Coordinates of all heavy atoms in Angstrom, one line a residue:
A14 N 0.4 17.1 -11.0 CA 0.6 16.9 -12.4 C 2.1 16.8 -12.8 O 2.4 16.4 -13.9 CB 0.0 18.1 -13.2
T15 N 2.9 17.3 -11.9 CA 4.4 17.3 -12.1 C 5.0 15.9 -11.7 O 4.8 15.4 -10.6 CB 5.1 18.4 -11.3 OG1 4.5 19.6 -11.8 CG2 6.5 18.4 -11.6
E16 N 5.8 15.4 -12.6 CA 6.5 14.1 -12.3 C 7.7 14.4 -11.5 O 8.5 15.3 -11.8 CB 6.9 13.4 -13.6 CG 7.4 12.1 -13.4 CD 7.7 11.3 -14.7 OE1 7.0 11.6 -15.7 OE2 8.6 10.5 -14.7
G17 N 7.8 13.7 -10.4 CA 9.0 13.8 -9.5 C 9.8 12.5 -9.5 O 9.6 11.7 -10.4
T18 N 10.6 12.4 -8.5 CA 11.4 11.1 -8.3 C 10.6 10.2 -7.4 O 10.2 10.6 -6.3 CB 12.7 11.5 -7.7 OG1 13.4 12.4 -8.5 CG2 13.5 10.2 -7.4
P19 N 10.3 9.0 -7.9 CA 9.6 8.0 -7.0 C 10.4 7.7 -5.7 O 11.6 7.5 -5.8 CB 9.4 6.8 -7.9 CG 9.6 7.2 -9.3 CD 10.5 8.4 -9.2
V20 N 9.8 7.8 -4.6 CA 10.5 7.5 -3.3 C 9.9 6.4 -2.5 O 10.4 6.0 -1.5 CB 10.6 8.8 -2.4 CG1 11.5 9.8 -3.1 CG2 9.2 9.4 -2.2
G21 N 8.8 5.8 -3.0 CA 8.3 4.6 -2.3 C 6.8 4.7 -2.2 O 6.1 5.6 -2.8
G22 N 6.2 3.8 -1.4 CA 4.8 3.7 -1.2 C 4.4 4.1 0.2 O 5.1 3.6 1.2
L23 N 3.4 4.9 0.4 CA 3.0 5.3 1.8 C 2.0 4.3 2.2 O 0.9 4.1 1.6 CB 2.4 6.7 1.7 CG 1.9 7.2 3.0 CD1 3.0 7.5 4.0 CD2 1.1 8.5 2.8
P24 N 2.3 3.5 3.3 CA 1.3 2.5 3.8 C 0.1 3.3 4.4 O 0.2 4.3 5.0 CB 2.1 1.8 4.9 CG 3.4 2.4 5.0 CD 3.5 3.5 4.1
L25 N -1.1 2.7 4.1 CA -2.3 3.3 4.6 C -3.1 2.3 5.4 O -3.2 1.1 5.1 CB -3.2 3.7 3.4 CG -2.6 4.7 2.4 CD1 -3.4 4.8 1.1 CD2 -2.4 6.0 3.1
T26 N -3.7 2.8 6.5 CA -4.4 1.9 7.4 C -5.7 2.7 7.9 O -5.6 3.9 8.1 CB -3.6 1.6 8.7 OG1 -2.3 1.0 8.3 CG2 -4.3 0.6 9.6
W27 N -6.7 1.9 8.1 CA -8.0 2.5 8.6 C -7.8 2.8 10.1 O -7.2 2.0 10.8 CB -9.1 1.5 8.5 CG -9.4 1.1 7.1 CD1 -9.0 -0.1 6.5 CD2 -10.0 1.8 6.1 NE1 -9.4 -0.2 5.2 CE2 -10.0 1.0 4.9 CE3 -10.6 3.1 6.0 CZ2 -10.6 1.4 3.7 CZ3 -11.2 3.5 4.8 CH2 -11.2 2.7 3.7
H28 N -8.2 4.0 10.5 CA -8.1 4.5 11.9 C -9.4 5.0 12.4 O -10.1 5.7 11.7 CB -7.0 5.6 12.1 CG -5.6 5.0 12.1 ND1 -5.0 4.7 10.9 CD2 -4.7 4.8 13.1 CE1 -3.7 4.3 11.2 NE2 -3.6 4.4 12.5
A29 N -9.7 4.7 13.7 CA -10.9 5.2 14.3 C -10.7 5.3 15.8 O -9.6 4.8 16.3 CB -12.1 4.3 14.0
V30 N -11.7 5.7 16.5 CA -11.5 5.7 18.0 C -11.4 4.3 18.5 O -12.0 3.4 17.8 CB -12.7 6.5 18.7 CG1 -12.7 7.9 18.4 CG2 -14.0 5.9 18.3
P31 N -10.7 4.0 19.5 CA -10.6 2.7 20.1 C -12.0 2.1 20.3 O -12.9 2.7 20.8 CB -9.8 2.8 21.4 CG -9.0 4.1 21.1 CD -9.9 5.0 20.3
G32 N -12.2 0.8 19.9 CA -13.4 0.1 20.0 C -14.4 0.3 18.9 O -15.5 -0.3 18.9
W33 N -14.1 1.2 18.0 CA -15.1 1.5 16.9 C -15.1 0.2 16.0 O -14.1 -0.4 15.8 CB -14.6 2.7 16.1 CG -15.5 3.1 15.0 CD1 -16.6 4.0 15.1 CD2 -15.5 2.6 13.6 NE1 -17.2 4.1 13.8 CE2 -16.6 3.3 12.9 CE3 -14.8 1.7 12.9 CZ2 -16.9 3.1 11.6 CZ3 -15.1 1.5 11.5 CH2 -16.1 2.2 10.9
A34 N -16.2 -0.1 15.5 CA -16.4 -1.2 14.5 C -17.3 -0.8 13.4 O -18.2 0.0 13.6 CB -17.0 -2.4 15.2
P35 N -17.0 -1.2 12.2 CA -17.8 -0.9 11.0 C -19.2 -1.4 11.2 O -19.4 -2.4 11.9 CB -17.2 -1.5 9.8 CG -16.1 -2.4 10.3 CD -15.9 -2.1 11.8
P36 N -20.2 -0.7 10.7 CA -21.6 -1.1 10.9 C -21.9 -2.4 10.1 O -21.2 -2.7 9.1 CB -22.5 0.0 10.4 CG -21.5 0.8 9.4 CD -20.1 0.6 10.0
A37 N -22.9 -3.1 10.4 CA -23.2 -4.4 9.7 C -23.8 -3.9 8.3 O -24.5 -3.0 8.2 CB -24.2 -5.2 10.5
A38 N -23.5 -4.7 7.3 CA -24.0 -4.5 6.0 C -25.5 -4.7 6.1 O -26.0 -5.5 6.9 CB -23.4 -5.5 5.0
P39 N -26.3 -4.0 5.3 CA -25.9 -3.1 4.2 C -25.7 -1.7 4.6 O -25.5 -0.8 3.7 CB -27.2 -3.2 3.3 CG -28.3 -3.3 4.3 CD -27.8 -4.1 5.4
A40 N -25.6 -1.4 5.9 CA -25.3 0.0 6.3 C -24.0 0.5 5.8 O -23.0 -0.3 5.8 CB -25.4 0.1 7.8
P41 N -23.9 1.7 5.2 CA -22.6 2.1 4.7 C -21.6 2.4 5.8 O -22.0 2.9 6.9 CB -23.0 3.4 3.9 CG -24.2 3.9 4.5 CD -24.9 2.7 5.0
V42 N -20.3 2.2 5.5 CA -19.3 2.6 6.4 C -19.1 4.1 6.4 O -19.0 4.7 5.3 CB -17.9 1.9 6.0 CG1 -16.7 2.5 6.7 CG2 -18.0 0.4 6.1
P43 N -19.2 4.7 7.6 CA -19.0 6.2 7.6 C -17.6 6.6 7.5 O -16.8 6.2 8.3 CB -19.6 6.6 9.0 CG -19.5 5.3 9.8 CD -19.5 4.2 8.9
L44 N -17.2 7.4 6.5 CA -15.8 7.8 6.3 C -15.6 9.2 6.7 O -16.5 10.1 6.5 CB -15.5 7.6 4.8 CG -15.5 6.3 4.2 CD1 -15.1 6.4 2.7 CD2 -14.4 5.4 4.9

C-alpha cells in the first residue's frame, strides 16, 4: 500500500522441469 520509488519492471517467465509441456486444451494448465 506504500508508494515507493519506481525502479523498473521485473521480467517474468514460465518455469517448469525440463521437458514439461502444458496439457492440451481444454485441460487446465497446472500452476
Side-chain angles (χ1 to χ4, degrees):
T15 300
E16 187 175 330
T18 300
V20 290
L23 181 66
L25 300 169
T26 305
W27 303 102
H28 283 77
V30 293
W33 186 91
V42 170
L44 294 178

